[in-house]
Amino acid sequence: MSLSSSPMNPTRAIFLSRASKTVMVASLGVFGLLVAVNNMMDYGSNYEFVRHVLSMDTTFPGNALRWRAVSSPVLWHIFYVLIIAAEFLTGAIFSFAALQMAQAVKAPAEEFRSARALVPVATALGFMIWFFGFSVVGGEWFAMWQSHVWNGQEAAFRFFMTMLGVCVFTQQGD
């Protein structure tokens, strides 16, 4: 029997859709938490990234935007700690949303809708980190796009686009 010829029970289809949404949100939670934990455990590696981006020392020679550079190690650490904290919070909110969704996966539609309410909040925070932080602040203000070595824009784009896609999917009805 082919899959296309066998009708799926509507209750099963709803369960599978909700379970899929829950697994995706949980994956984003693990991602955010893992990024934060990795940055804490290997603080020095990504601190160097933040230092180079903020100091603008690998942008084009003669760059007219270099007046924006931050040369204070204290500020480099503050920026980096704020990034780690926001990554952790993003992962925690996604994880909490996934837990609520898992608990409501077989519940009435209104309860599941309520359970997924934090997904846009976590997505917005992730968007602020990986779009605003990396693309706007890092990419444009600090001209990160000019660096061949310290440019995180492509990875950041993948992160926030994945979050946006999962958010849109999870907010769709059963």
Side-chain angles (χ1 to χ4, degrees), residues 153-172:
Q153 289 181 293
E154 285 185 34
F157 179 79
R158 286 191 308 270
F159 301 160
F160 72 75
M161 289 305 295
T162 300
M163 289 177 193
L164 288 172
V166 170
C167 183
V168 168
F169 177 57
T170 61
Q171 298 308 300
Q172 305 226 346

Side-chain angles (χ1 to χ4, degrees), residues 3-101:
L3 288 174
S4 61
S5 66
S6 69
M8 184 177 289
N9 176 330
T11 304
R12 184 167 185 229
I14 290 170
F15 171 79
L16 291 175
S17 173
R18 290 178 179 185
S20 298
K21 292 172 183 180
T22 302
V23 167
M24 289 180 190
V25 171
S27 296
L28 291 175
V30 171
F31 171 76
L33 292 172
L34 188 57
V35 169
V37 168
N38 285 349
N39 284 339
M40 288 185 288
M41 290 180 70
D42 188 17
Y43 188 91
S45 295
N46 285 312
Y47 170 77
E48 286 301 307
F49 174 86
V50 172
R51 181 181 73 80
H52 284 292
V53 170
L54 296 180
S55 67
M56 299 177 72
D57 60 354
T58 60
T59 59
F60 297 161
N63 176 357
L65 303 176
R66 293 278 319 250
W67 65 269
R68 298 174 178 171
V70 174
S71 59
S72 167
V74 171
L75 291 177
W76 299 337
H77 283 286
I78 289 170
F79 269 85
Y80 189 37
V81 168
L82 289 173
I83 290 168
I84 294 170
E87 291 166 343
F88 181 83
L89 187 57
T90 300
I93 295 171
F94 272 126
S95 296
F96 185 68
L99 179 63
Q100 289 183 313
M101 292 166 68

